[in-house]
Amino acid sequence: MSDIIASEVLANGLRTDFWDTYSSIRNRQADSRLSAVMDLGVPATNREHKFGYFEAAPHMDQWVRGTSIPTDGFDSVSFTVPVYTWGRRVKWHNEDREDDQTQSLFDVARMCGESAALMPERFFFDLITGTEDTLPAIPNAPDGAAMFAGTDGDGADRFGVSGGNTFAAAGQSLSQIQDAYYKAMRRFKEMQDGKGQPLLGDSIIDRGCMIIHSPELQQKFEQIFMMSRPGAIGGGAPSNVIDEANRSVDLWCSSRLTGNSYYIFLKGVNKKPTFYLDRQGVQEESSLRGDNNGDLTRDTGEEYLQWYLRSGAGISLPYGAIKVT
């Protein structure tokens, strides 16, 4: 369907009680929790950007008297992220707008432009799932691997730990999900900086995490992380060790996910694992800025609203995120 079909709202005497059926999704914004796992403030000034950073610096070592001072260096890394153009035009015949008994055609059409606010969230879920639902291509992380991988682009253990930043859970029971949580916390602590020291400080890990999961897992995750006795339904149960240990765990049950995989993001890392590149905010153009101001409207009676923006998204070094399958 390329045009607005208004035939069902043109009849004289039409009741308009339900003209706002879809108004509840107006002014939609990306989920507020997105800012905890995606850097939304990275500006862009061109159609492609190259980023770079130095890898970890060496650590102090003993300087034995009579020998040369120990020396070591560190490497640098660069990676490129493209910016894409996004747009949509919504068309209708001017007589349909004039005869629309609900007088809502224009307002509903503008909801298309408002949907631009969802782009960062759509990008984020493409990045973590590796699925090209919105982005035309999923970039690798700066180390040459996918966002979640057991090895880096050179085939070495990612972050110096076997299994990298992904692993398979033993199952989906309450106790197995709880075990997977502690395995993830242990995995974060096992990560190395490439110079023989822990990559993440204990205080960073102890600030807590956000777990993003599908609706299929909502009941289990809420039992485990929100109830003091997760197995108490239908009988007695021991207390919740995660709750009593005051572990900070935020849950995001997203309708954009399906299945039993879930994603654990540390809240205290300095650099978030994903970022949004904002080259140009949403722009609106209309054929209605004057009476018959365009050849298209004069020749065909067709009117339109259209929007476009330029943006992209990338993956930074994702040591603050783990995928559990």
Side-chain angles (χ1 to χ4, degrees):
M1 182 187 301
S2 59
D3 293 338
I4 293 176
I5 308 301
S7 57
E8 300 302 325
V9 296
L10 303 180
N12 288 330
L14 180 80
R15 292 282 299 271
T16 61
D17 307 66
F18 298 99
W19 74 269
D20 56 350
T21 293
Y22 277 90
S23 65
S24 62
I25 64 172
R26 292 209 62 179
N27 301 313
R28 290 184 65 184
Q29 300 292 321
D31 195 288
S32 61
R33 290 166 288 197
L34 184 63
S35 61
V37 293
M38 186 179 213
D39 188 343
L40 302 174
V42 180
T45 58
N46 211 327
R47 64 187 60 186
E48 183 176 81
H49 279 277
K50 192 170 188 177
F51 299 91
Y53 60 89
F54 286 110
E55 293 187 335
H59 301 278
M60 299 296 289
D61 199 0
Q62 182 187 14
W63 181 7
V64 178
R65 182 172 177 173
T67 65
S68 297
I69 187 169
T71 61
D72 195 2
F74 48 89
D75 204 351
S76 59
V77 175
S78 66
F79 61 103
T80 301
V81 179
V83 168
Y84 303 101
T85 301
W86 312 89
R88 179 73 79 183
R89 172 180 286 186
V90 178
K91 302 182 298 180
W92 61 87
H93 196 278
N94 66 328
E95 292 180 357
D96 289 343
R97 175 178 57 81
E98 293 167 354
D99 297 342
D100 167 26
Q101 299 300 295
T102 69
Q103 294 295 295
S104 63
L105 184 151
F106 191 75
D107 287 339
V108 175
R110 294 200 69 180
M111 292 171 63
C112 175
E114 294 169 1
S115 73
L118 295 174
M119 296 301 283
E121 182 178 312
R122 293 168 63 184
F123 292 167
F124 172 75
F125 282 95
D126 274 11
L127 293 176
I128 67 171
T129 62
T131 304
E132 298 168 3
D133 282 338
T134 301
L135 290 168
I138 306 299
N140 282 335
D143 63 356
M147 182 163 179
F148 300 102
T151 57
D152 61 25
D154 293 327
D157 286 342
R158 195 177 210 179
F159 309 130
V161 59
S162 178
N165 65 337
T166 183
F167 64 86
Q172 299 299 326
S173 70
L174 298 184
S175 63
Q176 288 169 328
I177 292 175
Q178 188 178 87
D179 288 345
Y181 162 80
Y182 278 108
K183 182 175 181 178
M185 296 304 106
R186 184 172 69 252
R187 181 68 59 87
F188 283 127
K189 289 181 178 288
E190 292 170 344
M191 291 179 179
Q192 299 290 303
D193 67 357
K195 296 295 184 179
Q197 293 295 313
L199 176 57
L200 295 163
D202 295 330
S203 62
I204 292 176
I205 299 171
D206 289 345
R207 290 178 196 172
C209 66
M210 175 178 289
I211 303 178
I212 307 176
H213 61 84
S214 69
E216 289 96 316
L217 296 174
Q218 183 173 13
Q219 180 179 359
K220 291 181 179 179
F221 272 86
E222 290 183 356
Q223 282 183 259
I224 295 168
F225 295 102
M226 299 178 68
M227 294 177 62
S228 60
R229 295 179 180 272
I233 297 176
S239 60
N240 188 340
V241 62
I242 297 174
D243 179 64
E244 293 198 355
N246 292 318
R247 296 296 174 189
S248 175
V249 179
D250 297 334
L251 299 180
W252 180 357
C253 177
S254 174
S255 57
R256 297 186 184 275
L257 292 177
T258 59
N260 291 326
S261 294
Y262 50 96
Y263 307 84
I264 302 176
F265 288 80
L266 291 180
K267 295 188 289 186
V269 292
N270 180 44
K271 285 295 182 183
K272 295 177 175 64
T274 64
F275 60 93
Y276 177 76
L277 269 182
D278 186 4
R279 175 66 180 91
Q280 183 178 33
V282 62
Q283 308 292 310
E284 179 180 290
E285 294 178 341
S286 170
S287 64
L288 300 176
R289 289 177 179 155
D291 291 334
N292 298 319
N293 73 335
D295 289 338
L296 180 67
T297 300
R298 284 194 296 268
D299 292 345
T300 68
E302 183 178 277
E303 299 172 340
Y304 66 84
L305 280 172
Q306 68 180 35
W307 304 265
Y308 66 92
L309 68 152
R310 299 176 67 194
S311 60
I315 301 169
S316 58
L317 199 61
Y319 49 74
I322 286 177
K323 178 180 180 179
V324 182
T325 60

